[in-house]
Amino acid sequence: MLLEVIVVLLIISCSLFIHEMGHAVATVTVSKNSKAEVFMGSCSKANKLRLSFGRITCYLTVAIYGYCEYLIPKEYPAFTYKQKLFFYLGGPIASLLSFVALFIASHFVSGVAGNIIINSAGANFFLFITSLIPWTYPRFLGGLPSDGLQTLNLMKANRKQRKFIT
């Protein structure tokens, strides 16, 4: 039973890491001057494995929630509406693509490995759906707004700004 709990935590952590890396890749794709930091668990850098991939820095631990932050030097302009939208949707897109890839792969692998792959696919699909729902996560899951809520707020702010200009 302990092994099953460990496997479930690893599946959740890996799915979250893929999701957060989707945000990070979106960040460095939309601007050559931006950097991204991925945090698994709290936004603390202490007692975590630090990995760097070009302009993406990851602070890793086994966790049930994650966070990605984009950084732009002050001398460069802030992200535009479309860049922010791509950032917010990068995580759900990565989760969806992972779900599809793992679901297809699960048809070619049987036994325990096949079960782990299909459960990983399910975790990615669950993360895709729940991250698009506009809500604020409970405190034990970080207490931050979901990607769906941030996207909705961004769209509302953009609509207000467009009405103000016209």
Side-chain angles (χ1 to χ4, degrees), residues 70 72-74 76-81 83-84:
Y70 62 84
I72 306 170
K74 291 180 183 173
Y76 294 102
F79 272 3
T80 64
Y81 167 76
Q83 289 172 319
K84 287 181 183 177

PDB file of all heavy atoms in Angstrom, residues 70 72-74 76-81 83-84:
ATOM      1  N   TYR A  70       6.637  34.142 -14.634  1.00  0.00           N
ATOM      2  CA  TYR A  70       7.477  34.675 -15.700  1.00  0.00           C
ATOM      3  C   TYR A  70       8.166  35.938 -15.219  1.00  0.00           C
ATOM      4  O   TYR A  70       7.636  36.699 -14.415  1.00  0.00           O
ATOM      5  CB  TYR A  70       6.707  34.906 -17.004  1.00  0.00           C
ATOM      6  CG  TYR A  70       5.567  35.904 -16.949  1.00  0.00           C
ATOM      7  CD1 TYR A  70       5.805  37.265 -17.090  1.00  0.00           C
ATOM      8  CD2 TYR A  70       4.251  35.476 -16.819  1.00  0.00           C
ATOM      9  CE1 TYR A  70       4.770  38.173 -17.076  1.00  0.00           C
ATOM     10  CE2 TYR A  70       3.203  36.376 -16.806  1.00  0.00           C
ATOM     11  CZ  TYR A  70       3.474  37.725 -16.934  1.00  0.00           C
ATOM     12  OH  TYR A  70       2.447  38.629 -16.931  1.00  0.00           O
ATOM     13  N   ILE A  72      10.426  39.329 -16.573  1.00  0.00           N
ATOM     14  CA  ILE A  72      10.843  40.171 -17.693  1.00  0.00           C
ATOM     15  C   ILE A  72      11.705  41.292 -17.124  1.00  0.00           C
ATOM     16  O   ILE A  72      11.283  41.956 -16.168  1.00  0.00           O
ATOM     17  CB  ILE A  72       9.628  40.783 -18.430  1.00  0.00           C
ATOM     18  CG1 ILE A  72       8.650  39.689 -18.867  1.00  0.00           C
ATOM     19  CG2 ILE A  72      10.068  41.612 -19.616  1.00  0.00           C
ATOM     20  CD1 ILE A  72       7.330  40.212 -19.372  1.00  0.00           C
ATOM     21  N   PRO A  73      12.900  41.514 -17.685  1.00  0.00           N
ATOM     22  CA  PRO A  73      13.719  42.639 -17.199  1.00  0.00           C
ATOM     23  C   PRO A  73      12.956  43.959 -17.320  1.00  0.00           C
ATOM     24  O   PRO A  73      12.149  44.154 -18.235  1.00  0.00           O
ATOM     25  CB  PRO A  73      14.936  42.618 -18.119  1.00  0.00           C
ATOM     26  CG  PRO A  73      14.997  41.216 -18.642  1.00  0.00           C
ATOM     27  CD  PRO A  73      13.574  40.752 -18.716  1.00  0.00           C
ATOM     28  N   LYS A  74      13.215  44.884 -16.395  1.00  0.00           N
ATOM     29  CA  LYS A  74      12.471  46.148 -16.337  1.00  0.00           C
ATOM     30  C   LYS A  74      12.624  47.006 -17.590  1.00  0.00           C
ATOM     31  O   LYS A  74      11.754  47.802 -17.909  1.00  0.00           O
ATOM     32  CB  LYS A  74      12.901  46.949 -15.110  1.00  0.00           C
ATOM     33  CG  LYS A  74      12.457  46.303 -13.824  1.00  0.00           C
ATOM     34  CD  LYS A  74      12.885  47.087 -12.614  1.00  0.00           C
ATOM     35  CE  LYS A  74      12.457  46.331 -11.369  1.00  0.00           C
ATOM     36  NZ  LYS A  74      12.953  46.903 -10.155  1.00  0.00           N
ATOM     37  N   TYR A  76      12.461  46.096 -20.583  1.00  0.00           N
ATOM     38  CA  TYR A  76      11.655  45.582 -21.680  1.00  0.00           C
ATOM     39  C   TYR A  76      10.176  45.760 -21.366  1.00  0.00           C
ATOM     40  O   TYR A  76       9.781  45.782 -20.206  1.00  0.00           O
ATOM     41  CB  TYR A  76      11.965  44.101 -21.926  1.00  0.00           C
ATOM     42  CG  TYR A  76      13.372  43.871 -22.427  1.00  0.00           C
ATOM     43  CD1 TYR A  76      14.352  43.422 -21.555  1.00  0.00           C
ATOM     44  CD2 TYR A  76      13.710  44.144 -23.749  1.00  0.00           C
ATOM     45  CE1 TYR A  76      15.654  43.232 -21.997  1.00  0.00           C
ATOM     46  CE2 TYR A  76      15.005  43.952 -24.192  1.00  0.00           C
ATOM     47  CZ  TYR A  76      15.973  43.498 -23.317  1.00  0.00           C
ATOM     48  OH  TYR A  76      17.251  43.334 -23.759  1.00  0.00           O
ATOM     49  N   PRO A  77       9.337  45.877 -22.412  1.00  0.00           N
ATOM     50  CA  PRO A  77       7.904  46.069 -22.157  1.00  0.00           C
ATOM     51  C   PRO A  77       7.263  44.835 -21.515  1.00  0.00           C
ATOM     52  O   PRO A  77       7.730  43.711 -21.690  1.00  0.00           O
ATOM     53  CB  PRO A  77       7.328  46.316 -23.563  1.00  0.00           C
ATOM     54  CG  PRO A  77       8.320  45.748 -24.509  1.00  0.00           C
ATOM     55  CD  PRO A  77       9.658  45.842 -23.834  1.00  0.00           C
ATOM     56  N   ALA A  78       6.194  45.077 -20.780  1.00  0.00           N
ATOM     57  CA  ALA A  78       5.441  43.991 -20.140  1.00  0.00           C
ATOM     58  C   ALA A  78       4.782  43.137 -21.224  1.00  0.00           C
ATOM     59  O   ALA A  78       4.676  43.541 -22.386  1.00  0.00           O
ATOM     60  CB  ALA A  78       4.395  44.573 -19.209  1.00  0.00           C
ATOM     61  N   PHE A  79       4.328  41.959 -20.839  1.00  0.00           N
ATOM     62  CA  PHE A  79       3.640  41.075 -21.778  1.00  0.00           C
ATOM     63  C   PHE A  79       2.380  41.742 -22.311  1.00  0.00           C
ATOM     64  O   PHE A  79       1.664  42.421 -21.583  1.00  0.00           O
ATOM     65  CB  PHE A  79       3.259  39.769 -21.088  1.00  0.00           C
ATOM     66  CG  PHE A  79       4.321  38.703 -21.126  1.00  0.00           C
ATOM     67  CD1 PHE A  79       5.566  38.921 -21.681  1.00  0.00           C
ATOM     68  CD2 PHE A  79       4.067  37.456 -20.599  1.00  0.00           C
ATOM     69  CE1 PHE A  79       6.533  37.929 -21.715  1.00  0.00           C
ATOM     70  CE2 PHE A  79       5.018  36.454 -20.627  1.00  0.00           C
ATOM     71  CZ  PHE A  79       6.252  36.694 -21.189  1.00  0.00           C
ATOM     72  N   THR A  80       2.098  41.494 -23.563  1.00  0.00           N
ATOM     73  CA  THR A  80       0.865  41.972 -24.176  1.00  0.00           C
ATOM     74  C   THR A  80      -0.283  41.032 -23.782  1.00  0.00           C
ATOM     75  O   THR A  80      -0.064  39.979 -23.174  1.00  0.00           O
ATOM     76  CB  THR A  80       0.988  41.985 -25.710  1.00  0.00           C
ATOM     77  OG1 THR A  80       1.169  40.641 -26.167  1.00  0.00           O
ATOM     78  CG2 THR A  80       2.146  42.856 -26.170  1.00  0.00           C
ATOM     79  N   TYR A  81      -1.470  41.406 -24.191  1.00  0.00           N
ATOM     80  CA  TYR A  81      -2.649  40.579 -23.919  1.00  0.00           C
ATOM     81  C   TYR A  81      -2.464  39.176 -24.490  1.00  0.00           C
ATOM     82  O   TYR A  81      -2.692  38.184 -23.807  1.00  0.00           O
ATOM     83  CB  TYR A  81      -3.892  41.259 -24.518  1.00  0.00           C
ATOM     84  CG  TYR A  81      -5.105  40.378 -24.568  1.00  0.00           C
ATOM     85  CD1 TYR A  81      -5.844  40.113 -23.418  1.00  0.00           C
ATOM     86  CD2 TYR A  81      -5.521  39.796 -25.773  1.00  0.00           C
ATOM     87  CE1 TYR A  81      -6.963  39.292 -23.465  1.00  0.00           C
ATOM     88  CE2 TYR A  81      -6.641  38.981 -25.819  1.00  0.00           C
ATOM     89  CZ  TYR A  81      -7.355  38.736 -24.665  1.00  0.00           C
ATOM     90  OH  TYR A  81      -8.450  37.926 -24.708  1.00  0.00           O
ATOM     91  N   GLN A  83       0.307  37.583 -25.316  1.00  0.00           N
ATOM     92  CA  GLN A  83       1.390  36.863 -24.650  1.00  0.00           C
ATOM     93  C   GLN A  83       0.924  36.301 -23.302  1.00  0.00           C
ATOM     94  O   GLN A  83       1.244  35.166 -22.953  1.00  0.00           O
ATOM     95  CB  GLN A  83       2.604  37.771 -24.460  1.00  0.00           C
ATOM     96  CG  GLN A  83       3.329  38.081 -25.755  1.00  0.00           C
ATOM     97  CD  GLN A  83       4.415  39.135 -25.576  1.00  0.00           C
ATOM     98  OE1 GLN A  83       4.228  40.122 -24.856  1.00  0.00           O
ATOM     99  NE2 GLN A  83       5.546  38.936 -26.237  1.00  0.00           N
ATOM    100  N   LYS A  84       0.174  37.106 -22.549  1.00  0.00           N
ATOM    101  CA  LYS A  84      -0.360  36.624 -21.272  1.00  0.00           C
ATOM    102  C   LYS A  84      -1.348  35.483 -21.492  1.00  0.00           C
ATOM    103  O   LYS A  84      -1.339  34.496 -20.754  1.00  0.00           O
ATOM    104  CB  LYS A  84      -1.054  37.756 -20.506  1.00  0.00           C
ATOM    105  CG  LYS A  84      -0.108  38.757 -19.901  1.00  0.00           C
ATOM    106  CD  LYS A  84      -0.884  39.831 -19.149  1.00  0.00           C
ATOM    107  CE  LYS A  84       0.033  40.891 -18.603  1.00  0.00           C
ATOM    108  NZ  LYS A  84      -0.711  41.971 -17.942  1.00  0.00           N
TER     109      LYS A  84
END
